[in-house]
Amino acid sequence: MARRVVLKISGEALASSASDQTIDATVVDFLASEIAAATESGELQLAMVVGGGNIWRGATGELAGMDRANSDIMGMLGTVINSLALQDAIENHGRQCRVMSALNMDQVAEPYIRRRAVRHLEKGRVVIFAAGMGNPYFTTDTPAAQRAAEVEAELVLKGTHGGVDGVYTADPKKDPNATKYDVVSFDEAIQKELRVMDLTAITFCKDNGLPIRVFDLMAPGNLRRALAGEAVGTLVR
Ligand code: UDP
């Protein structure tokens, strides 16, 4: 059976500080070209979750006095916008791609149905899970882990975009003595609150025996290497 993997990227990975754009078409095109190259052999089944942080985060609205659940729905809608941008770019690179939304929006995306998602993956289509899990009070890290378990993926890939290429003992941008882990246990990541994914997502992965590889998404060729099982970044297991 082909390897099945869920790739989580943050919404901010689609933005650009260079152009000040919420969604930078050049960056999205780069990501799509990386995805197309990495899935070229057909030996890999790729599902994705893209966050919405470049557009809206639920916590931001809550801080401003907004109802949290309402604010989280705005965040989930942001992930749909990002998913559609990625879908467009991935298809421009010659890969079939389906967006499946956890919130019903029939004119825009397919509803998330597990069996249908698995079928798309078996046919070699890239599947993007949009609108998180459809529930407020989560970030998109947890749906990435939960969907990975649901479609029986063997790995969660967390692609970073801020220049940090794995999990470090401390924030490498602030602490010059920080060192990178090649491998770190779930327990250590949780106990030391290492910046891997949200605690809820890490705990979920731990409970379900789902390893996470954290790697630099923006380095050309890195996605292909990570998907091929090479030891890029840090493996959390
Ligand atoms: N969100 C949610 N439920 C989910 C997934 C996401 O309520 O299952 C909301 C939440 O408000 C979150 C926002 O969508 O802040 C955007 O997702 P996230 O913060 O994970 O984006 P990222 O930081 O990865 O770009």
Side-chain angles (χ1 to χ4, degrees):
M1 193 181 94
R3 303 183 65 218
R4 188 175 293 161
V5 170
V6 172
L7 168 67
K8 158 75 211 285
I9 67 176
S10 290
E12 276 167 359
L14 309 189
S16 167
S17 52
S19 66
D20 241 11
Q21 301 207 33
T22 308
I23 298 176
D24 184 320
T26 312
V27 179
V28 177
D29 184 69
F30 164 75
L31 291 173
S33 69
E34 290 286 294
I35 289 161
T39 52
E40 198 166 19
S41 69
E43 284 163 10
L44 187 100
Q45 298 180 7
L46 179 66
M48 296 182 62
V49 169
V50 54
N54 55 325
I55 297 171
W56 188 257
R57 283 200 179 89
T60 311
E62 188 180 37
L63 282 174
M66 201 181 266
D67 175 73
R68 176 63 192 258
N70 194 49
S71 187
D72 278 333
I73 290 169
M74 292 167 63
M76 287 187 255
L77 294 175
T79 72
V80 179
I81 294 173
N82 286 337
S83 298
L84 294 176
L86 263 179
Q87 178 189 37
D88 184 81
I90 289 169
E91 293 201 329
N92 278 339
H93 281 271
R95 291 280 171 282
Q96 287 193 37
C97 179
R98 298 285 189 271
V99 175
M100 307 191 92
S101 174
L103 295 173
N104 288 342
M105 42 181 85
D106 296 346
Q107 284 76 10
V108 175
E110 293 181 26
Y112 172 73
I113 297 169
R114 185 182 70 89
R115 283 169 181 270
R116 195 185 282 180
V118 168
R119 190 80 190 112
H120 286 322
L121 291 169
E122 286 171 350
K123 287 188 170 177
R125 296 167 182 150
V126 177
V127 175
I128 306 179
F129 299 126
M133 284 194 297
N135 298 315
Y137 293 93
F138 290 96
T139 73
T140 47
D141 281 354
T142 304
Q146 189 274 340
R147 293 287 190 240
E150 214 179 338
V151 301
E152 297 177 330
E154 62 183 60
L155 177 71
V156 175
L157 280 180
K158 164 94 176 187
T160 67
H161 60 279
V164 180
D165 58 352
V167 181
Y168 282 74
T169 50
D171 185 346
K173 289 187 172 165
K174 293 182 188 147
D175 184 347
N177 296 319
T179 54
K180 192 174 92 181
Y181 292 94
D182 292 329
V183 179
V184 65
S185 69
F186 285 121
D187 285 338
E188 189 169 348
I190 293 167
Q191 193 198 342
K192 294 188 176 163
E193 296 186 14
L194 300 174
R195 292 221 242 137
V196 177
M197 292 177 97
D198 278 7
L199 210 50
T200 316
I202 304 176
T203 309
F204 181 93
C205 286
K206 180 188 173 209
D207 288 348
N208 292 284
L210 202 55
I212 307 166
R213 184 172 289 285
V214 183
F215 73 104
D216 180 4
L217 179 68
M218 295 304 182
N222 237 15
L223 176 63
R224 187 191 52 73
R225 286 192 283 277
L227 287 171
E230 289 182 31
V232 288
T234 300
L235 183 66
V236 188
R237 65 169 184 212

